[in-house]
Amino acid sequence: MNPSHIELRHLRLLQAVSEAGGLTAAAERLHLTQSAVSHQLKALEDALGLALVERAARPLGLTAAGRRLLALAHSALPQVDAALRDLAKLRDGDAGELRIAVECHTCYDWLMPAMDRYRDVWPGVELDLLGGFQADPIGLLLDKRADLVITSDTAPRPGIVYAPLFGFEMLALLPPDHPLASRKWLLPADFAGHTLITYPVPEDRLDLIRRVLAPAGIKPPRREAQLTVAILQLVASRRGLAALPAWAVAPYIERGYVAARPVGRHGLWAELHIAVRAADAARAYVADFIDTVRRDSFARLPGIRPLVSGTAVTNAPA
């Protein structure tokens, strides 16, 4: 066997296959097509003269040869990433400041662990979260009151660049014994006559209203709550319906505290991006923060998808 047959991209491929349990999911995680992943895997197997995956297994499993290369990936890739990070620090310096504005109420649960992981490798970068609802978070970047914004808004703004994080599904939430719980999915008319329980944000910042209900002429009364658990408690108490990201409510759905249904046949998919000033985008500590958040999100959050060409995989529901 020629060691040159094995490249870093092959190790990342095997790692993604092992973590995702299939070629399609691995392709999404690597931002490649399934055919590209299949071709890379087959070419590596041909070069080595060994099968690396057990294709008949579900989820997809690794052979003994595949597991050996996976062990190499677990050993080598962190060292490679650390070395590249150290080189970036030598080039750009290892200190800075990131004031982070978060548009999404439910983002803190997964953002905080990613920030902790980032602090371990960038101890010289001061991280600060800007609390409270921000009417114009991108304006904070332009005014230099924030350095990074996690947002769903990617409207072009001079001097601002966007890095995609992931697409995620907004699920309709209702009491488990609600008559609508018998539906496979909910349509706009199903929300008529029900109170909509939301965070205290303007209607044009709520995907369910902006993309689903308003175009259908449905305007349910709103009741606002600051906390996710308060919204869920109100739904469980039959005070109304809600729509929240799947990752934020998965434990409550598993326990049967609330029921969840897709919004529309194909679901209501939203997306998150990181916005930074164009002048800061190439800074090593900024780029690595974006990579850390993206990697940590895919490792932790259920049901998220890579963004394809900057747009969510599924658009407005029908």
Side-chain angles (χ1 to χ4, degrees):
M1 297 181 190
N2 188 339
S4 65
H5 291 154
I6 300 174
E7 303 174 14
L8 290 177
R9 63 190 177 99
H10 296 140
L11 298 182
R12 297 191 191 280
L13 170 59
L14 283 175
Q15 190 173 65
V17 169
S18 174
E19 293 174 352
L23 295 185
T24 300
E28 291 179 346
R29 185 169 298 195
L30 295 169
H31 297 277
L32 298 172
T33 65
Q34 182 177 348
S35 61
V37 167
S38 297
H39 178 76
Q40 282 188 25
L41 182 60
K42 183 63 165 58
L44 178 60
E45 289 179 322
D46 289 345
L48 296 174
L50 290 166
L52 299 176
V53 300
E54 297 173 344
R55 288 173 170 78
R58 292 293 180 272
L60 204 67
L62 298 183
T63 64
R67 292 192 297 271
R68 181 61 187 89
L69 282 185
L70 179 63
L72 175 62
H74 288 161
S75 174
L77 291 178
Q79 294 185 57
V80 170
D81 292 339
L84 293 175
R85 189 180 296 115
D86 289 342
L87 292 174
K89 290 177 181 179
L90 291 173
R91 183 191 65 209
D92 299 336
D94 61 357
E97 181 182 23
L98 281 178
R99 294 163 296 171
I100 303 166
V102 182
E103 179 185 280
C104 166
H105 275 70
T106 54
C107 289
Y108 292 101
D109 287 346
W110 55 263
L111 179 60
M112 299 300 286
M115 291 174 64
D116 290 340
R117 188 184 302 271
Y118 178 82
R119 285 189 186 95
D120 290 340
V121 295
W122 290 91
V125 176
E126 182 178 349
L127 298 179
D128 187 22
L129 282 171
L130 305 181
F133 171 74
Q134 307 292 340
D136 181 19
I138 303 302
L140 297 177
L141 291 177
L142 296 172
D143 294 340
K144 296 189 176 181
R145 289 182 289 156
D147 304 298
L148 185 146
V149 173
I150 296 178
T151 179
S152 58
D153 179 13
T154 58
R157 303 280 286 269
I160 301 298
V161 296
Y162 298 91
L165 284 181
F166 52 78
F168 63 94
E169 187 174 11
M170 297 287 294
L171 292 174
L173 304 175
L174 56 160
D177 59 349
H178 196 283
L180 291 174
S182 63
R183 304 282 186 87
K184 291 183 178 180
W185 59 79
L186 300 191
L187 296 175
D190 294 325
F191 290 87
H194 296 283
T195 297
L196 185 63
I197 304 168
T198 74
Y199 295 110
V201 299
E203 290 188 355
D204 62 2
R205 303 286 284 275
L206 295 170
D207 286 299
L208 178 66
I209 293 178
R210 179 173 55 86
R211 294 170 51 197
V212 179
L213 301 184
I218 306 296
K219 189 175 178 60
R222 285 177 65 191
R223 179 171 178 174
E224 297 179 348
Q226 289 277 358
L227 301 176
T228 301
V229 67
I231 292 177
L232 293 168
Q233 190 277 329
L234 290 169
V235 170
S237 301
R238 305 183 68 84
R239 299 298 193 271
L241 308 182
L244 292 174
W247 81 70
V249 296
Y252 301 92
I253 296 170
E254 291 172 1
R255 296 200 300 265
Y257 189 65
V258 294
R261 296 293 180 270
V263 179
R265 181 188 297 270
H266 304 295
L268 173 61
W269 284 81
E271 55 189 58
L272 282 178
H273 301 255
I274 287 183
V276 297
R277 289 183 292 273
D280 296 334
R283 294 180 186 272
Y285 67 86
V286 174
D288 199 51
F289 183 86
I290 295 171
D291 289 342
T292 300
V293 171
R294 188 183 290 124
R295 287 196 306 267
D296 209 67
S297 299
F298 279 96
R300 291 176 179 272
L301 298 180
I304 65 174
R305 296 179 178 177
L307 297 179
V308 179
S309 301
T311 59
V313 177
T314 307
N315 293 316

